[in-house]
Amino acid sequence: MTVVEQGYTGRIFYIRIHPNEDLIQSLEKTFIESGLHRAIVRGSVGSLAHCSLLRGTRDTLELDGPAIEIMNMNGEIRCDAAGNPVAQVSGVVMDLGGQFHAGRFTSGRNPACMTVEAVLEEWIVEKTLSLD
Amino acid sequence: MITPPTVQLLKHPGPVAPTRRDVMVGKNQKTYRITLRRGASLYDSVVSAMSVTGARVAALNIECAIFSHLRYFLIATSDEVEQVAHYTTPLDFDEPATLVSAGATVGTTDQGKFAIHCHGVTVTGSGRLVGGHFLTEHCILAEDGVAYLHTMDYMNLVIGMDPEIGTLVFQPSYREALI
């Protein structure tokens, strides 16, 4: 079912993730600690000690570090039916050989290497439009 | 079920900082659409716009850009370097390169000069992907491009030494409101 939300952006958050902390879980922790209900992940940069990317619906690519550069990432964080935050963030990375890879970052398998800078922007829903 | 291999965690040269995540809430945030000027560097275009807005910190989204020249670093490791990773010597690329994706934050040096942390990937006419950590002062626009600045007030983002990793990175902090 198509859902159309009318809304606007609210607070903006700058997050610096320190070494060995997981990218996705750090975003989800920030989301829940900040009382957010929806957030947009804006362009972000940094490096990862290990990178795990979901490609398609089931296949994951595991890239060993110790340094994988994040070229960019974008996505959204929202709550699942149980109220738990779920970050769906995709991006392009570069490995130590200079090769580029892309996919969705998996949870718990993307620890920061030196630093990761991320920007979250709150999405505030005014109303959901009916498609009837 | 196949258990994925353990994720490698790193031992950095310095003491582990007790804070593992800095979260700063921007205030008075505004969004600006800016033109990246043909013939100018990415740095000059962004800094000119930042000066007009009066902001010192921003997230930068580059929506479209074609470069005539790129200068960038790749990341590398070496047993002879204390840090877990370091950058290579600068690489130059002198062909037209169309931006595919980039992420960037704008802050300042400890001397107050604007600094841009920008990673990006471009595609060349032959389809080759080229990119890395952009040295934005030396990334020259071949034609006008477009970017969006999401400025954040009441915040400093200053390059400083991180004792844990032994490397200069952006360090966020709050600052007093300018009245």
Side-chain angles (χ1 to χ4, degrees), chain A residues 10 16 18-19 70 72 109 117, chain B residues 5 20 22 29 117 119 162:
Chain A
R16 186 197 161 200
H18 290 245
I70 301 171
N72 194 14
R109 299 190 62 78
E117 297 177 76
Chain B
R20 308 310 304 156
D22 301 300
Q29 69 263 28
H117 184 196
H119 292 182
D162 182 306

Side-chain angles (χ1 to χ4, degrees), chain A residues 32-55:
Chain A
I32 199 162
E33 288 167 359
S34 304
L36 294 165
H37 298 285
R38 290 266 206 293
I40 304 161
V41 182
R42 296 294 186 194
S44 310
V45 292
S47 57
L48 300 169
H50 177 97
C51 182
S52 175
L53 297 168
L54 177 66
R55 303 190 299 186

Side-chain angles (χ1 to χ4, degrees), chain A residues 4-130:
Chain A
V4 179
E5 291 177 347
Q6 176 180 316
Y8 57 93
T9 55
R11 293 172 292 169
I12 192 166
F13 297 82
Y14 171 89
I15 305 155
R16 186 197 161 200
I17 303 169
H18 290 245
N20 294 324
E21 299 298 316
D22 184 67
L23 165 65
I24 294 300
Q25 293 176 0
S26 294
L27 296 177
E28 290 172 343
K29 287 174 188 172
T30 302
F31 178 90
I32 199 162
E33 288 167 359
S34 304
L36 294 165
H37 298 285
R38 290 266 206 293
I40 304 161
V41 182
R42 296 294 186 194
S44 310
V45 292
S47 57
L48 300 169
H50 177 97
C51 182
S52 175
L53 297 168
L54 177 66
R55 303 190 299 186
T57 56
R58 290 190 304 178
D59 296 326
T60 57
L61 173 68
E62 302 287 334
L63 298 168
D64 289 330
I68 308 291
E69 288 273 78
I70 301 171
M71 296 291 103
N72 194 14
M73 57 185 180
N74 292 284
E76 186 196 60
I77 311 175
R78 62 179 181 276
C79 291
D80 64 15
N84 298 314
V86 177
Q88 293 185 321
V89 182
S90 299
V92 179
V93 301
M94 180 179 67
D95 65 24
L96 277 165
Q99 298 298 306
F100 295 96
H101 311 273
R104 180 183 293 175
F105 296 99
T106 63
S107 179
R109 299 190 62 78
N110 287 283
C113 173
M114 307 296 265
T115 188
V116 175
E117 297 177 76
V119 175
L120 295 186
E121 198 164 14
E122 183 178 27
W123 172 245
I124 299 169
V125 180
E126 286 183 317
K127 62 179 178 181
T128 301
L129 304 179
S130 171

